[in-house]
Amino acid sequence: MDKLPTYSESPPVDLPRLARWRPKHRMAPIALTLCFISVTSLLLSLSQLALLGKQSVQLPLHAEQIQQKCNMLHAKPGPPSNFHQRTKSDRFAEGTRATLIRNASIWTGDHEITQGDILLDKGIIKFVGHASPGMFNKFKHLVTLDAGGSWVTPGIVDLHSHLGVDSAPALNGADDTNSLKGPVLPWLRSLDGLNTHDDAYRLSISGGVTTANVLPGSANAIGGQAFVIKLRPTAERSPTSMLLEPPYTLNGTHVDPTLPPRWRQMKCVSFFFLEAHVIIHLNHRHACGENPSRVYGNTRMDTFWAFRQAYDTARQLKEQQDAYCTRALAGEWEGLGEFPDNLQWEALVDVLRGRVKVHTHCYEAVDLDDFVRLTNEFQFPIAAFHHAHETYLVPGTLKQAYGHTPAAALFATNARYKREAYRGSEFAPRILAENGIDVVMKSDHPVLNSRFLLYEAQQAYMYGLPANLALAAVTSTPARIMGQDHRIGFVREGYDADLVVWDSHPLALGTTPQQVWIDGIPQISEPAVASKPASFQQVPRTPNFDLEAAAAIKYEGLPPLMPKKAKDLVVFANISSMFVPDGMGGIMSVANVGEGSVVALRKGVVQCLGAASACANEFTSEDAEWINLEGGSIAPGLISYGSPLGLEEIQGERSTHDGTVFDPLTGSIPGILTGSELIKAADGLQFAGRDTLLAYRAGVTVGVTAPSSDGLIAGLSTAFSTGAAHRLEDGAVIQDVAALHVQIGHSNQGPSVSTQVAALRNMLLGDKSSTRFAKVAKGAIPLVVQVQNADIIASLIELKKEIQTRTGTDIQLTVAGAAEAHLLAKELGEAGVGVILTPSRPFPDDWESKRILPGPPLTNESAITTLLANGVTVGIGILEQWSARNTRFDVAWAALESFDRISKEQAIALASVNLEKLLGIKPSGGLSDMIATRGGTVLDSEAKVIGIISARRGLVDLI
């Protein structure tokens, strides 16, 4: 998590240090066992003799329990040996009917079963294979589902989530992500802040997520203990009832001496117990790098000194315990006292005993190297480095960690949002896997909506991670990393009945659950299942990114991104389709371009298209550059809107920003600006940024950006070429001024919503000068209002009507964000108000966007289909500039979940001609940018963008 305030505090107390005891020799396991038995017997005999000679030494009342506790101090976690002999899950809900899933294509967690059956009963998987007729006749109320060949996988497992502690909608009363009481807090527990009313549980389940590791935030070096939960609602309605293998006690490492301990989880280090009578796997959260430095004003040196102090304190306590137990096991009870323990530090002691899964938030090489040295100094293993943006550059460093090589828990394409994430690469999962390092894809929910965690695996696969490892990265691998692979992460007999039936292959773009089971209980009451093409049932083909992956390593994460300019005459051959603007605000397919066609261009302008023979005269006498699209396509260039693309390079580094504009409602405007024009984004444009160029290489040729604002008035947006090197290049600035942007919503510090609407009314109706507000009132340029709430949108519709009544002008009004716009789809259509949905797949991030329309499988309609059905012009946008590169997948997704109500042409329009209309960008006609894709259309994940055609700039760029 990166929503971090600033805080300062006094340094931690350094407890006195005790002498250290270490064994000096290592033995073979058998010899060691025999020696232990012999020594124990001898010590017990001597203790009995000592007692005979010292009648004054009284045997403690709980001497046996003390010795049992001491004997268990070095026991390693794991399930009981008879775990898979269970006939009923400890999480089984009485009354749940047995379910038989027939004719399924099964991915088990490590391999495929072409066609098979699965029986769920008593909360566990009772059968996997090919069932014979009548095999399950004994079940009187068996629910049978014919999967019809659909894919079944284990439930999605999220190794890094803040579900329940960073709740949706975000409200001050439910923000329990970070404590600011100090940089080292191993005694805190995410369970103590787990909100059972988080709206995101249901949404995440609808994306196939069944289990999540809920971590504390990353404001602290050691953030506290994490807990693994199942997402389904329980009859008890309590946080504790959601725990996977709930602990015997939450207040210390108590054990049943007849059973092995179980793993605990910590963000960086801490413990908890899972199943009754046994120690559990505890996850512990640690953070290194920028986050704790920003919050506490520390340097990296300060943070790692805090780590070393904390671990030294835990080591002293561990050595006291070991010394105590040496005497207790020898029967030396005189003056022994109580077992040394400390509730604040006990979890960190268990880290040193190797009984905690340590999850470390760490990005770049310096921090990774620091932490690896820390593990070797204090001799504890790491479960995973999280975020881990530079792990692919230093795999050898990871392999030097104590005990074993930690996994890397990654985003697919989310990077460059702060300096330590700047060298992040989409090829990291592939490169790490090639180096034998476990790869996990995670959400960091709500940083990424965990409903779409599988999308992270799909992207990792597209960029080169093998299919089996990509699926494992969100199922079996995170289950193993958190120590729960004995019961989740696989489709195996005896495992928890956590399954997902998908509507297409799980690595196909837009795949959606048909049903989700948690503990054998179906979670979606009336699933809305869209029909997908038959080809989507097969594992998708992937483009070849070998050269790009090699360049990521060669250039240490910053490979050159500027494209290569092609020759003046370019011929794209073997084209299967072509899409172009139809001149009436839509997109059409070019009829005479089909399989095997060519398109010839001179300086980016189409000279001929169709059959090769018909265009022969265009290139026979010249040195043309031929490019084989292998059945690919040509389509309009896409537009990105909604993020500060082109105004900001690194979100977390203010020196890389254009900055924010002054807000007249909350502060005074400097005199030098009084009476002047509104702020123009064009004046602050930054070209050739990495997110901008990555977007260009992915087919986004135009960025539309408004000035950044924390108040009512943002200013005037601009349209610019994402592929230009600088502002003075021909065609770099496409349109100096596009639209006027304002934003209206609730704020903890700003004026009321009614005040904001009143101010907007006065500026539109009370200004008779030639300012931009007057131009909006005259309908000359669009007014784009950033707004989420349906009630505020309704006020804006009324304001539009009021202006028309009083002036006779029908202003161009667009609402952006618009999470609740679907509630007013009819009214928006009638009023001629356009909508830009930002983001295109909604999330109830705050109270104003609470009433979202989630789309399949929860609802038949999505916000996009609802608005389009009511005649609303719809565009899509993004929130952060790193995601601009994924625009083509966003529009493809909208079509895939539309039940065939959105055609390919309409999907492309969502991020091209529709945005032109909504944002006031004048159509370029024959000068519009186009993109060439190899191996498919711009909507296909199998396709690769290999060329940008720009008549406006007079060139063809090759990617």
Side-chain angles (χ1 to χ4, degrees):
M1 292 299 295
D2 292 292
K3 296 187 284 186
L4 301 172
T6 302
Y7 186 74
S8 61
E9 60 125 34
S10 302
V13 177
D14 188 13
L15 298 181
R17 186 170 179 162
L18 298 180
R20 301 172 189 162
W21 174 88
R22 296 188 186 90
K24 296 183 179 180
H25 302 285
R26 294 182 178 179
M27 297 180 170
I30 296 176
L32 185 62
T33 302
L34 294 174
C35 179
F36 176 80
I37 294 172
S38 301
V39 171
T40 302
S41 300
L42 177 61
L43 289 175
L44 289 174
S45 299
L46 291 174
S47 65
Q48 291 172 356
L49 291 173
L51 287 173
L52 290 174
K54 295 182 179 182
Q55 296 298 327
S56 60
V57 178
Q58 184 176 0
L59 193 68
L61 182 62
H62 302 295
E64 183 178 358
Q65 290 89 332
I66 292 171
Q67 289 182 331
Q68 287 175 345
K69 182 172 186 175
C70 287
N71 279 323
M72 291 295 292
L73 282 182
H74 303 286
K76 297 303 178 185
S81 58
N82 64 348
F83 181 83
H84 288 120
Q85 297 175 19
R86 61 181 183 155
T87 59
K88 184 172 75 171
S89 171
D90 53 320
R91 294 182 49 80
F92 173 63
E94 293 294 338
T96 302
R97 296 167 62 182
T99 299
L100 177 63
I101 304 171
R102 310 225 43 171
N103 303 317
S105 299
I106 306 169
W107 190 79
T108 66
D110 52 16
H111 70 280
E112 295 179 7
I113 298 176
T114 304
Q115 201 89 345
D117 310 315
I118 307 169
L119 177 68
L120 314 179
D121 184 36
K122 298 290 193 296
I124 61 178
I125 299 171
K126 291 289 185 69
F127 176 85
V128 180
H130 300 281
S132 59
M135 188 173 179
F136 304 116
N137 286 345
K138 66 177 181 179
F139 293 95
K140 294 183 179 180
H141 303 288
L142 181 66
V143 177
T144 302
L145 169 69
D146 190 340
S150 296
W151 284 92
V152 175
T153 71
I156 302 298
V157 179
D158 193 352
L159 190 66
H160 185 140
S161 177
H162 301 285
L163 272 167
V165 294
D166 195 349
S167 301
L171 295 168
N172 291 336
D175 183 4
D176 288 288
T177 316
N178 289 292
S179 170
L180 302 180
K181 303 302 183 184
V184 176
L185 303 169
W187 46 85
L188 300 185
R189 304 174 303 191
S190 65
L191 176 65
D192 295 330
L194 193 69
N195 175 17
T196 58
H197 304 297
D198 189 338
D199 285 357
Y201 291 127
R202 174 173 172 261
L203 295 172
S204 296
I205 290 171
S206 75
V209 181
T210 57
T211 304
N213 189 23
V214 179
L215 298 165
S218 54
N220 310 104
I222 301 179
Q225 303 170 35
F227 287 76
V228 180
I229 64 169
K230 295 280 192 85
L231 271 59
R232 72 171 175 86
T234 64
E236 295 84 356
R237 299 189 179 90
S238 68
T240 301
S241 65
M242 299 176 71
L243 293 177
L244 180 59
E245 298 189 334
Y248 174 66
T249 176
L250 295 174
N251 299 316
T253 305
H254 298 265
V255 302
D256 182 333
T258 66
L259 295 173
R262 294 243 178 136
W263 288 111
R264 306 170 74 180
Q265 316 283 328
M266 181 177 272
K267 187 172 182 178
C268 195
V269 268
S270 253
F271 301 70
F272 70 78
F273 299 129
L274 294 177
E275 193 168 296
H277 310 303
V278 296
I279 304 175
I280 62 162
H281 291 274
L282 176 68
N283 288 286
H284 214 243
R285 175 70 181 269
H286 289 49
C288 46
E290 294 183 27
N291 280 19
S293 297
R294 290 205 309 271
V295 174
Y296 295 102
N298 291 338
T299 66
R300 282 176 165 80
M301 295 180 289
D302 296 315
T303 298
F304 270 88
W305 173 240
F307 274 129
R308 296 183 70 210
Q309 279 186 310
Y311 275 105
D312 193 55
T313 299
R315 178 161 56 186
Q316 293 176 44
L317 181 57
K318 175 180 176 293
E319 288 168 354
Q320 292 177 36
Q321 293 176 354
D322 290 342
Y324 177 95
C325 285
T326 297
R327 293 185 59 192
L329 292 173
E332 298 176 5
W333 301 107
E334 185 175 6
L336 189 57
E338 295 294 323
F339 179 80
D341 210 348
N342 186 309
L343 193 57
Q344 284 188 300
W345 298 103
E346 60 85 21
L348 217 53
V349 172
D350 257 6
V351 170
L352 298 181
R353 297 195 185 281
R355 306 206 292 201
V356 177
K357 295 291 188 178
V358 176
H359 299 274
T360 303
H361 164 120
C362 232
Y363 283 80
E364 58 182 327
V366 58
D367 300 312
L368 296 165
D369 186 65
D370 285 345
F371 210 88
V372 165
R373 282 189 280 103
L374 186 76
T375 70
N376 285 298
E377 179 181 2
F378 292 95
Q379 299 188 346
F380 66 90
I382 314 169
F385 282 119
H386 291 240
H387 302 306
H389 280 59
E390 290 190 16
T391 49
Y392 74 101
L393 295 173
V394 290
T397 297
L398 271 64
K399 294 178 180 180
Q400 295 171 15
Y402 179 81
H404 59 77
T405 302
L410 309 166
F411 295 131
T413 52
N414 185 0
R416 295 166 297 284
Y417 46 86
K418 53 183 175 176
R419 191 198 65 84
E420 61 189 4
Y422 196 62
R423 294 173 189 265
S425 173
E426 62 270 36
F427 306 110
R430 163 190 178 157
I431 294 167
L432 287 164
E434 290 170 351
N435 282 273
I437 293 173
D438 285 325
V439 172
V440 173
M441 307 310 296
K442 53 94 172 92
S443 74
D444 194 10
H445 181 95
V447 171
L448 296 183
N449 181 358
S450 63
R451 177 183 178 186
F452 305 115
L453 177 53
L454 185 60
Y455 180 42
E456 297 299 291
Q458 292 165 359
Q459 293 175 84
Y461 168 67
M462 185 181 73
Y463 289 115
L465 185 66
N468 63 316
L469 295 182
L471 287 175
V474 291
T475 54
S476 52
T477 302
R480 174 164 51 83
I481 298 306
M482 67 171 64
Q484 295 294 334
D485 57 327
H486 59 285
R487 65 182 298 168
I488 63 171
F490 293 90
V491 181
R492 293 176 179 170
E493 293 177 11
Y495 275 64
D496 286 13
D498 299 347
L499 299 176
V500 185
V501 177
W502 303 95
D503 65 5
S504 47
H505 191 282
L507 291 178
L509 180 68
T511 188
T512 302
Q514 298 183 54
Q515 187 54 272
V516 179
W517 287 266
I518 302 179
D519 301 320
I521 304 171
Q523 297 298 302
I524 305 174
S525 57
E526 296 181 5
V529 182
S531 175
K532 301 287 178 67
S535 60
F536 275 52
Q537 294 300 331
Q538 306 300 317
V539 61
R541 293 179 291 105
T542 58
N544 188 317
F545 289 104
D546 291 348
L547 294 178
E548 292 89 340
I553 299 174
K554 177 181 178 180
Y555 294 97
E556 297 191 12
L558 300 176
L561 296 176
M562 289 300 293
K564 170 190 170 186
K565 185 177 178 180
K567 295 179 180 179
D568 285 350
L569 181 60
V570 177
V571 180
F572 288 106
N574 290 326
I575 301 173
S576 62
S577 61
M578 185 172 181
F579 303 91
V580 296
D582 62 10
M584 297 180 290
I587 298 294
M588 69 178 185
S589 177
V590 178
N592 61 332
V593 174
E595 201 70 38
S597 295
V598 301
V599 174
L601 308 108
R602 190 183 304 277
K603 293 186 177 182
V605 178
V606 175
Q607 304 297 306
C608 182
L609 55 86
S613 58
C615 296
N617 292 334
E618 294 295 329
F619 43 77
T620 53
S621 60
E622 296 190 42
D623 182 20
E625 188 161 359
W626 284 75
I627 300 167
N628 186 355
L629 293 189
E630 301 174 9
S633 180
I634 292 178
L638 303 178
I639 299 172
S640 180
Y641 170 76
S643 78
L645 188 72
L647 292 180
E648 177 181 294
E649 179 69 356
I650 304 174
Q651 183 181 347
E653 295 289 341
R654 302 189 74 171
S655 64
T656 72
H657 299 190
D658 173 55
T660 55
V661 302
F662 292 98
D663 178 28
L665 281 184
T666 58
S668 60
I669 302 295
I672 196 170
L673 293 177
T674 303
S676 64
E677 281 281 315
L678 293 170
I679 304 301
K680 294 166 55 177
D683 294 333
L685 280 176
Q686 303 173 28
F687 288 86
R690 297 198 70 80
D691 282 318
T692 306
L693 288 173
L694 285 167
Y696 185 68
R697 297 170 70 90
V700 176
T701 63
V702 177
V704 179
T705 302
S708 298
S709 172
D710 295 328
L712 172 65
I713 302 174
L716 303 170
S717 59
T718 187
F720 66 97
S721 169
T722 56
H726 55 79
R727 180 189 176 89
L728 300 181
E729 187 178 286
D730 287 343
V733 177
I734 298 168
Q735 191 168 312
D736 189 59
V737 172
L740 172 59
H741 295 253
V742 300
Q743 50 192 27
I744 298 179
H746 296 91
S747 169
N748 290 333
Q749 298 177 342
S752 68
V753 168
S754 52
T755 300
Q756 295 171 57
V757 174
L760 181 60
R761 177 184 292 109
N762 290 340
M763 286 184 286
L764 291 172
L765 291 174
D767 192 339
K768 304 300 183 182
S769 67
S770 61
T771 66
R772 300 291 181 174
F773 276 100
K775 289 187 177 182
V776 169
K778 294 174 183 177
I781 62 173
L783 175 67
V784 180
V785 184
Q786 181 71 25
V787 58
Q788 303 289 357
N789 178 259
D791 298 303
I792 302 175
I793 294 173
S795 295
L796 293 171
I797 294 173
E798 290 296 315
L799 178 59
K800 183 177 187 291
K801 293 177 181 177
E802 181 183 349
I803 293 171
Q804 186 170 14
T805 300
R806 293 175 60 176
T807 69
T809 301
D810 188 15
I811 68 170
Q812 302 176 57
L813 177 61
T814 297
V815 293
E820 295 187 353
H822 62 95
L823 296 172
L824 297 171
K826 179 176 177 290
E827 291 79 5
L828 287 165
E830 291 172 347
V833 177
V835 173
I836 303 175
L837 293 168
T838 307
S840 58
R841 295 184 296 281
F843 181 74
D845 188 62
D846 52 33
W847 192 259
E848 293 182 343
S849 55
K850 189 178 190 313
R851 296 173 290 180
I852 65 168
L853 187 63
L858 295 177
T859 60
N860 280 284
E861 297 286 347
S862 68
I864 295 176
T865 58
T866 300
L867 291 164
L868 288 175
N870 283 274
V872 179
T873 300
V874 180
I876 67 162
I878 60 171
L879 296 176
E880 297 177 284
Q881 61 265 31
W882 63 266
S883 63
R885 66 185 299 172
N886 295 327
T887 299
R888 69 188 186 103
F889 301 134
D890 292 339
V891 295
W893 203 316
L896 287 167
E897 68 175 11
S898 72
F899 292 85
D900 297 323
R901 285 171 289 200
I902 298 177
S903 66
K904 289 183 178 181
E905 292 82 0
Q906 289 172 311
I908 294 171
L910 293 172
S912 57
V913 292
N914 287 12
L915 286 178
E916 287 182 340
K917 177 180 179 181
L918 294 168
L919 295 169
I921 304 170
K922 297 177 179 62
S924 300
L927 298 180
S928 296
D929 293 336
M930 295 185 290
I931 54 179
T933 53
R934 174 177 286 153
T937 73
V938 68
L939 303 177
D940 300 324
S941 62
E942 297 92 336
K944 182 179 183 181
V945 176
I946 65 162
I948 306 294
I949 303 162
S950 181
R952 180 190 296 112
R953 298 166 62 209
L955 54 77
V956 173
D957 277 334
L958 300 181
I959 307 300

